[in-house]
Amino acid sequence: MKVVIIGGVAGGATAAARIRRLDEQADITVFERSGYISYANCGLPYYIGGVISAPEALTLQTPESFFSRFRVNMRVRHEVTAIHPDRKTVSVQNLETGEAFEEPYDKLLLSPGAKPTQPRLPGAGLERLFTLRTVEDTFRIKDYINTHHPKSAVLAGGGFIGLELAENLRELGMEVTIVQRPKQLMNPFDPDMASFIHGEMRRQGVKLALGYTVEGFEEKAGGVDVLLKDSAPLHADMVVLAIGVTPDTALAKEAGLELGIKGSIAVNERMETSVPDIYAVGDAVQVRHAVTGQDALISLAGPANKQGRIVADNICGGDSRFLGSQGSSVIKVFDLTAAVTGVNETNAKKAGLAVDTVVLSPMSHAGYYPGGRLMTMKVVFERETFRLLGAQIVGYEGVDKRIDVLAAAIHAGLTAVQLKDLDLAYAPPYSSAKDPVNMAGFMVENLSQGTVRQFHFDDVKNLPRDGSVTLLDARTEAEYGGGHIEGFRNIPVDELRERLDEIEQGKPVYIICQSGLRSYIACRILTGLGYEAYNFSGGFRFYDAVANDRRLIESAAPCGMDLG
């Protein structure tokens, strides 16, 4: 059996190794147009920043090491220029010698990945304008920094690459501005949860120009002007485009393969394309979102590796299936860790789901054990069924393990209420007897049983201030004096029973505290005495962070942010 694989890295290299483990007799050839067949794509920004010091550490396998272990013919600097399904061959060009030839196949795997999105803007070919996707891109940026010692950079795009690169350039002492059209970084997160990421970026000196559209680039004063719509330009010594990726599917389209959303390759659960004996994996393929069931593009290494293994199984006679992707991911943002799984509230609503959320601020481990840090968790669930849909966490230690528990719970089909039943490991240095994941389950259970009713950030501005409802802050007097929401008056929870005469019967009571715990207790006290009470989800800490972030975004003008 002759297997040809177009593209290495996560999906292609994984498939090649798995095919060899399943079939010692298979003839396997991989064509990779870059000079590297298997590299740590996610580590590229950290090489630029010097966290990873050795360039060879980025290359997980070389053509020689891969052949030595797996007897796979790795042909780097070879570009496949056409696919001929009718005669089961591919056209190949050796990029070093110019030689062109055809290679036959019995089974063909497309793993072309995605390419950086490069809009057709004036000045897009400037010398000081970079993209970051491949090892070669990384070396180009690193060499430029070592040679020219730039003092400033503008990053167009606020996704994974943009944030990781911003951190590493700041660690090199550069002034960094991130500019992008959406009014938030990291679109997998809801805007309220992104507020905490924004706060950390600002604390670390990264300037944010959110809600601005890049219209072009101009060389000016020894650097680059980033031209913005309806605003003065940003000036910097270098610019990196990190505005997303586009499936690299020109070959598939020309070969007549069925395409999906945004030009991606359509595949079934076995990762088969519309043409017999041709498979596709990785960032170039359309997948099913495991939560919504809708078509999606999810460019992550984990799904690509799984898909490569599935294709290998099927090429070798098995029947493996890809069940979809939840988009589980985690990112280091300077001192913070931010993680997400499933679908966020914004996209759940776009998908037509009726959803609710709980927001909590638990400690990373037992409060009495030194070193605990607060994390902010948001859990999304379906309103009627309480089906668990997604979660987002921003914090410090312990974020990654909680998101993995929640990812597993979603995959297993648990409801949000069932989170309370999970038997999770506990010791004071690592968790609390009531783990944050359990706490989220307790909160959803209270909602499901009608034990508590809640209101959210976007509800606050619509609450009447005419006396028809009671707005109550259950924190201490000192906390209230340090900042509060206009219209909310202060009655500390521990004084509530003695001050009931200040709360008029027959009017709904909306209550807030610092984290949501004391206001929940206040709700239970008042509900037990016949009041209609609502608890604010997330507490004043959450409200204040989101409100301040939105004010900064609306008031920020990149005019004058000359970083040259």
Side-chain angles (χ1 to χ4, degrees):
M1 178 175 61
K2 175 66 179 291
V3 181
V4 170
I5 300 174
I6 302 175
V9 197
T14 295
R18 174 72 171 171
I19 292 169
R20 173 58 69 229
R21 290 195 294 270
L22 296 176
D23 185 349
E24 185 63 25
Q25 304 302 318
D27 180 356
I28 310 168
T29 298
V30 178
F31 293 112
E32 168 60 49
R33 65 185 164 204
S34 77
Y36 302 88
I37 53 96
S38 182
Y39 57 87
N41 190 289
C42 301
L44 301 183
Y46 297 99
Y47 174 72
I48 292 172
V51 178
I52 299 171
S53 56
E56 59 270 18
L58 296 173
T59 53
L60 307 177
Q61 291 275 5
T62 65
E64 294 76 20
S65 68
F66 217 100
F67 183 82
S68 176
R69 177 158 296 180
F70 298 110
R71 292 300 188 270
V72 170
N73 185 19
M74 289 287 185
R75 309 284 291 276
V76 296
R77 302 293 296 156
H78 281 69
E79 182 173 11
V80 175
T81 57
I83 301 169
H84 311 290
D86 53 339
R87 57 181 184 268
K88 299 188 80 168
T89 66
V90 294
S91 295
V92 187
Q93 183 175 24
N94 184 326
L95 298 179
E96 293 182 345
T97 67
E99 175 195 5
F101 58 93
E102 281 198 15
E103 186 83 5
Y105 67 83
D106 296 311
K107 304 288 183 180
L108 177 64
L109 170 59
L110 307 183
S111 180
K115 54 190 176 183
T117 302
Q118 296 195 50
R120 296 178 179 177
L121 297 175
L126 294 179
E127 180 185 0
R128 296 177 179 86
L129 195 63
F130 302 88
T131 59
L132 179 56
R133 183 68 179 174
T134 67
V135 175
E136 287 91 345
D137 294 337
T138 307
F139 292 159
R140 194 175 303 115
I141 294 172
K142 184 75 168 178
D143 290 345
Y144 181 83
I145 291 173
N146 290 340
T147 302
H148 296 89
H149 308 289
K151 294 181 172 58
S152 59
V154 167
L155 310 181
F160 289 95
I161 292 294
L163 266 65
E164 290 169 347
L165 188 56
E167 176 178 348
N168 281 277
L169 294 181
R170 283 296 293 154
E171 294 295 336
L172 294 176
M174 296 174 63
E175 294 291 331
V176 178
T177 296
I178 296 178
V179 57
Q180 70 165 7
R181 185 182 304 167
K183 291 188 176 182
Q184 70 167 87
L185 304 175
M186 294 299 293
N187 283 331
F189 292 79
D190 285 314
D192 50 12
M193 292 297 291
S195 298
F196 294 90
I197 299 174
H198 299 167
E200 179 68 8
M201 298 297 280
R202 295 186 186 106
R203 278 190 293 274
Q204 299 293 343
V206 177
K207 297 183 176 74
L208 303 181
L210 305 178
Y212 291 88
T213 301
V214 176
E215 292 195 319
F217 310 92
E218 287 182 358
E219 282 189 310
K220 190 172 182 180
V224 182
D225 269 5
V226 180
L227 308 178
L228 304 179
K229 183 179 181 180
D230 300 326
S231 183
L234 297 172
H235 184 78
D237 295 332
M238 62 181 292
V239 175
V240 181
L241 290 178
I243 56 179
V245 293
T246 301
D248 192 355
T249 57
L251 281 176
K253 181 178 181 180
E254 291 168 5
L257 276 63
E258 181 183 342
L259 301 182
I261 55 175
K262 297 182 179 179
S264 59
I265 302 172
V267 293
N268 61 18
E269 288 182 330
R270 288 169 48 87
M271 308 310 297
E272 295 168 325
T273 71
S274 59
V275 176
D277 296 322
I278 300 181
Y279 300 78
V281 300
D283 294 352
V285 304
Q286 172 183 287
V287 299
R288 183 183 67 86
H289 196 287
V291 175
T292 66
Q294 296 181 344
D295 294 333
L297 290 176
I298 299 178
S299 300
L300 294 169
N305 275 280
K306 294 184 183 74
Q307 292 161 10
R309 180 184 175 91
I310 288 166
V311 165
D313 290 350
N314 294 330
I315 284 176
C316 294
D319 186 22
S320 291
R321 310 271 171 157
F322 183 66
L323 301 180
S325 177
Q326 291 175 204
S328 301
S329 58
V330 63
I331 184 173
K332 178 181 180 293
V333 185
F334 292 96
D335 294 332
L336 278 181
T337 298
V340 63
T341 187
V343 64
N344 63 27
E345 181 184 11
T346 304
N347 289 332
K349 289 178 177 177
K350 287 180 181 178
L353 297 172
V355 301
D356 202 353
T357 67
V358 292
V359 177
L360 58 158
S361 301
M363 294 286 284
S364 56
H365 60 241
Y368 59 82
Y369 188 88
R373 305 286 296 275
L374 282 174
M375 64 177 72
T376 304
M377 293 177 59
K378 181 176 183 178
V379 176
V380 184
F381 56 92
E382 201 165 26
R383 191 182 298 276
E384 296 299 325
T385 66
F386 295 94
R387 178 168 68 108
L388 183 60
L389 300 176
Q392 302 152 65
I393 313 177
V394 181
Y396 300 91
E397 65 177 40
V399 167
D400 53 343
K401 78 171 183 176
R402 271 64 184 227
I403 207 70
D404 283 343
V405 170
L406 289 159
I410 292 171
H411 181 78
L414 299 187
T415 67
V417 175
Q418 288 176 302
L419 296 176
K420 69 184 177 64
D421 300 320
L422 293 177
D423 192 353
L424 304 175
Y426 159 63
Y430 303 106
S431 185
S432 300
K434 296 177 182 177
D435 187 86
V437 174
N438 296 136
M439 288 301 303
F442 294 143
M443 293 170 68
V444 178
E445 181 185 46
N446 283 338
L447 291 170
S448 72
Q449 296 176 344
T451 303
V452 69
R453 289 177 282 193
Q454 62 179 2
F455 64 110
H456 299 283
F457 180 91
D458 288 332
D459 298 322
V460 173
K461 63 180 181 295
N462 297 320
L463 291 174
R465 265 68 171 181
D466 59 2
S468 59
V469 301
T470 299
L471 307 179
L472 187 63
D473 191 318
R475 295 177 297 159
T476 65
E477 186 176 340
E479 288 174 305
Y480 181 83
H484 59 270
I485 304 174
E486 183 181 355
F488 280 72
R489 57 194 180 93
N490 182 220
I491 301 180
V493 65
D494 293 336
E495 302 175 13
L496 186 58
R497 292 180 178 89
E498 288 71 40
R499 298 175 60 178
L500 290 173
D501 58 333
E502 300 177 35
I503 306 173
E504 187 176 343
Q505 279 276 10
K507 292 182 180 180
V509 185
Y510 293 84
I511 313 173
I512 193 169
C513 73
Q514 190 66 12
S515 68
L517 175 58
R518 284 173 288 174
S519 51
Y520 163 64
I521 294 170
C523 280
R524 290 306 306 150
I525 292 171
L526 293 177
T527 300
L529 295 172
Y531 290 85
E532 179 186 334
Y534 297 84
N535 186 31
F536 181 77
S537 178
F540 184 78
R541 170 182 172 271
F542 180 78
Y543 177 89
D544 196 43
V546 178
N548 285 335
D549 178 63
R550 293 189 179 180
R551 281 193 291 268
L552 286 170
I553 291 172
E554 295 304 325
S555 64
C559 308
M561 285 188 188
D562 189 312
L563 308 178

